[in-house]
Amino acid sequence: MPRGIGKLTSLQTLSMFVVDKDGSHGAAAADLSELGGLNRLRGELIIKNLGFVKNAGDKFKAANLKEKQHLQSLVLEWRGDMNSAGNEEEDDDEEKSLEDLKPHPNLTKLHVRGWRGKAKFPSWFSLLTNLVDIRIKGPSKFKHLPSFARLSHLQRLKISKLIELEYMEDNGHNGGQGDSEPFFPSLKLLHLKGCPNMKSWWRESPIEDDGDKDDDKDRTASTVAFPCLSTLCIKNCPLSSMPLYPSVDDELILMNTSSRPLKHTIQMSTTTTSTSSLLFKTSSTSSVPLSKLKSFEVENIEELDRDMLDECLKNMTSLKRWGIGSCSWLKSLSEFLQQMTGLTSLKIKDCKELDLEGMQWEPLKNLSHLVIDNIPQLESLPLWLQHLDQLKTLEIENCSGLKSLFPVFQHLISLEELSI
């Protein structure tokens, strides 16, 4: 940023402030302290390259973010290699830095990307009670995060690449709360990605022994549930214990994770918990878990078997989009498709035993999008594809055995897009 920008004290819009990476701009570049007097800024401010700030403690305080009461959105990006790895003093300085970037409590959106400091969240976070959108992206050393559960306005929470994160909530699996305490009362979207050490939502998992089936009912009866969650995505997190999510109605994506929370959610009944009464206020016409779900994608799910998948899909009577991957036992889809006549999109990936040729196509007559990925024994397009007169998009990936698209291809009269 040009030196002297801090003199524009009436400035209201500054979408981005970029710290000079290598000092090559010398005296011509503004340092972070020039933000200090720009207290009329509103809307969104993105600050990039924070890891390259020298004397970070002083400069971060001088930026005076806490006085910028009109800012709605703040994005703090570290990016790049900060310092030589493993230097404790530099890490300590970094930790102080995040504490010194205290924003005004009016903030509604906070994104923190690439911070590599120590495993302690800044103390000012608890003051940001108006937050609607939180995103934290690593690599960072957080082993746990502050509780987001009581942020009454929070609608979107995205956590990704926190490789040392172990849990989200410090208290027990009942939330340590009475019925009057809110539990994510407004959360609609939750993404958890790339947190390989996160085995439980809580510090102490309610189930210690994975093999103890008797604990399943106890676990279901005692846990809390998200009251209005609509979209959930869990990827590369071995999360076997978390709040239930029966109200999810837009999108559910589960990849490289445990099947246990899905199982408990499906088995949930309206009489199970005291939180159910709160939960089902949000779904007036139906209390069957996941019955309004439109999009469901599962890939490489631990302990997912035929019976459980069948139980899930029977609940999902509104499903429009389905994807299944890395399912070694799957030989046929026909039995599952019988109840999915409204399906418009289907993705099949890495199912080595699946017989595509013998599939029943009748339930798929509304299909408009089909993806076939890593089915090496596929030599030509299955004959039943020619009956799908609504099919507009066909994607074939990693099918090394494919020799020909004919004779089926000439019958795909509605096809608009083909990707091989």
Side-chain angles (χ1 to χ4, degrees):
M1 309 302 288
R3 189 180 181 89
I5 195 171
K7 295 177 181 178
L8 304 177
T9 53
S10 296
L11 199 63
Q12 293 188 15
T13 302
L14 178 64
S15 59
M16 192 180 292
F17 188 100
V18 186
V19 173
D20 189 12
K21 259 188 186 179
D22 49 15
S24 61
H25 297 89
D31 67 37
L32 206 60
S33 61
E34 292 215 39
L35 281 174
L38 304 185
N39 291 334
R40 297 192 184 184
L41 291 180
R42 58 189 65 238
E44 180 171 77
L45 172 62
I46 301 173
I47 306 179
K48 285 183 174 263
N49 298 338
L50 280 165
F52 298 98
V53 176
K54 306 298 181 190
N55 303 316
D58 294 335
K59 291 292 195 312
F60 285 11
K61 283 177 185 170
N64 202 22
L65 295 180
K66 64 181 184 294
E67 296 299 328
K68 295 171 180 31
Q69 60 178 316
H70 305 294
L71 271 187
Q72 290 180 301
S73 172
L74 180 64
V75 180
L76 304 173
E77 283 195 8
W78 266 256
R79 293 286 169 92
D81 290 329
M82 306 287 309
N83 297 299
S84 55
N87 189 309
E88 286 297 322
E89 287 184 0
E90 289 167 349
D91 280 349
D92 283 344
D93 183 51
E94 215 178 319
E95 183 178 342
K96 276 184 291 188
S97 301
L98 196 52
E99 190 65 52
D100 293 331
L101 285 168
K102 179 181 179 179
H104 193 280
N106 284 349
L107 209 64
T108 60
K109 181 168 119 180
L110 175 66
H111 294 187
V112 179
R113 299 174 184 158
W115 185 63
R116 297 168 188 251
K118 285 201 170 179
K120 185 180 178 184
F121 220 74
S123 61
W124 46 255
F125 183 83
S126 60
L127 304 174
L128 303 182
T129 55
N130 293 307
L131 285 175
V132 174
D133 186 323
I134 299 174
R135 300 185 193 186
I136 302 172
K137 184 176 182 180
S140 301
K141 297 179 182 177
F142 301 122
K143 291 193 184 302
H144 64 92
L145 297 170
S147 177
F148 301 119
R150 289 173 180 78
L151 292 174
S152 58
H153 302 289
L154 186 64
Q155 295 183 23
R156 294 179 296 280
L157 176 59
K158 293 186 176 183
I159 307 292
S160 59
K161 296 185 178 179
L162 300 189
I163 55 176
E164 294 190 30
L165 186 68
E166 294 176 359
Y167 58 90
M168 294 283 285
E169 300 279 334
D170 201 18
N171 46 21
H173 62 280
N174 279 321
Q177 59 206 22
D179 289 345
S180 60
E181 291 284 350
F183 181 79
F184 288 101
S186 303
L187 192 68
K188 295 179 180 177
L189 180 146
L190 174 62
H191 283 190
L192 297 170
K193 299 179 181 179
C195 303
N197 282 307
M198 187 175 169
K199 296 176 182 175
S200 174
W201 183 273
W202 301 278
R203 186 174 188 173
E204 294 180 7
S205 172
I207 294 183
E208 299 300 332
D209 180 9
D210 282 350
D212 192 346
K213 301 298 182 186
D214 292 334
D215 269 353
D216 283 6
K217 288 182 181 177
D218 296 338
R219 163 67 173 74
T220 309
S222 63
T223 194
V224 287
F226 294 107
C228 58
L229 195 66
S230 179
T231 298
L232 175 63
C233 175
I234 303 176
K235 290 184 179 181
N236 304 317
C237 298
L239 197 59
S240 61
S241 174
M242 68 174 289
L244 304 185
Y245 44 85
S247 64
V248 169
D249 59 3
D250 187 41
E251 185 172 56
L252 176 59
I253 299 175
L254 303 172
M255 292 186 181
N256 300 317
T257 187
S258 169
S259 63
R260 192 176 283 273
L262 174 63
K263 178 181 179 182
H264 290 141
T265 297
I266 286 293
Q267 293 173 346
M268 186 178 180
S269 71
T270 50
T271 56
T272 303
T273 69
S274 57
T275 51
S276 297
S277 55
L278 169 66
L279 169 72
F280 291 117
K281 282 176 187 173
T282 60
S283 55
S284 53
T285 57
S286 173
S287 58
V288 178
L290 305 180
S291 60
K292 296 183 177 181
L293 187 64
K294 299 181 192 72
S295 181
F296 180 46
E297 191 166 348
V298 282
E299 184 177 327
N300 193 28
I301 302 301
E302 170 199 330
E303 295 181 359
L304 179 68
D305 58 23
R306 177 181 301 280
D307 291 340
M308 185 178 165
L309 182 60
D310 190 47
E311 191 177 358
C312 289
L313 294 173
K314 279 179 179 172
N315 275 28
M316 299 173 184
T317 51
S318 303
L319 209 59
K320 297 289 184 188
R321 300 176 296 279
W322 183 35
I324 186 159
S326 301
C327 207
S328 57
W329 51 263
L330 193 65
K331 291 183 168 62
S332 171
L333 287 182
S334 296
E335 61 186 285
F336 302 116
L337 293 173
Q338 294 309 311
Q339 58 225 21
M340 299 165 68
T341 54
L343 212 62
T344 60
S345 174
L346 177 62
K347 179 179 180 179
I348 305 165
K349 179 180 179 181
D350 195 24
C351 296
K352 299 287 194 295
E353 299 296 316
L354 185 63
D355 175 22
L356 277 181
E357 192 59 59
M359 265 174 58
Q360 294 176 12
W361 59 269
E362 289 87 352
L364 295 175
K365 58 182 182 293
N366 293 312
L367 203 69
S368 60
H369 181 87
L370 177 63
V371 179
I372 301 173
D373 187 351
N374 196 19
I375 309 289
Q377 68 268 35
L378 185 73
E379 294 188 3
S380 59
L381 295 183
L383 287 173
W384 53 264
L385 269 185
Q386 64 187 313
H387 302 294
L388 305 185
D389 51 17
Q390 304 293 318
L391 195 66
K392 291 183 170 62
T393 307
L394 177 61
E395 297 178 38
I396 301 173
E397 302 176 19
N398 304 308
C399 292
S400 54
L402 188 68
K403 297 176 181 175
S404 171
L405 299 180
F406 292 92
V408 173
F409 187 65
Q410 60 201 2
H411 297 289
L412 302 180
I413 55 173
S414 298
L415 201 67
E416 296 173 2
E417 238 177 276
L418 173 67
S419 170
I420 303 177

